[in-house]
Amino acid sequence: MSDSQKRNRRLRKKLYLDEFAIQGFEFACDIKEASQEEYDNFFDALVEVVGSRDLYVNLGDCDGRFYGIVTSGERYGSATEEDIAAVKASLDAQAIAENVEVGSLIDAFYGKRQLA
């Protein structure tokens, strides 16, 4: 019997395990030097796709790459393959985004990072 099977439902829920696991995905890209208007357009497009799909995104910058981790905005909800496609399409459509990478669905709490 695994550790998660030994835990009761309440504890699995608190720890986001098994039926309460939340799936998310990562994205990363390089952003070219651009005008303030181009940066504004880039972030406006990202906010639009994230907001329209009821997603949460945690953004960062590491080693010169812009990256994010995306999850559903619903409590105990998970991102979907359609969410992955929408975020990728939005990033690919931006002229200032280069080397766009979008990972597959992973456990948002316990999964290993796919994009470095």
Side-chain angles (χ1 to χ4, degrees):
M1 184 179 281
S2 72
D3 286 341
S4 64
Q5 291 172 330
K6 293 177 189 174
R7 295 182 175 117
N8 66 33
R9 184 177 194 279
R10 182 173 164 262
L11 189 54
R12 289 193 315 271
K13 187 173 183 178
K14 281 184 163 219
L15 295 174
Y16 296 95
L17 293 171
D18 299 333
E19 69 270 32
F20 301 106
I22 294 177
Q23 299 290 303
F25 63 94
E26 298 174 294
F27 69 85
C29 64
D30 298 319
I31 299 181
K32 297 190 288 190
E33 288 285 326
S35 69
Q36 186 61 47
E37 182 180 353
E38 290 172 307
Y39 286 128
D40 290 345
N41 291 339
F42 173 83
F43 286 106
D44 287 347
L46 186 59
V47 166
E48 174 63 31
V49 73
V50 166
S52 70
R53 302 190 69 81
D54 191 24
L55 300 171
Y56 287 156
V57 64
N58 185 359
L59 301 174
D61 182 4
C62 183
D63 296 329
R65 286 189 51 90
F66 176 72
Y67 70 90
I69 300 171
V70 181
T71 59
S72 173
E74 296 178 23
R75 187 170 190 188
Y76 301 108
S78 290
T80 65
E81 294 292 336
E82 292 80 18
D83 295 330
I84 293 173
V87 169
K88 181 164 179 21
S90 177
L91 293 171
D92 285 339
Q94 300 300 313
I96 67 170
E98 297 180 322
N99 304 316
V100 174
E101 294 180 84
V102 179
S104 58
L105 291 173
I106 59 171
D107 186 312
F109 282 84
Y110 302 105
K112 291 187 176 189
R113 291 197 59 198
Q114 295 176 330
L115 307 177

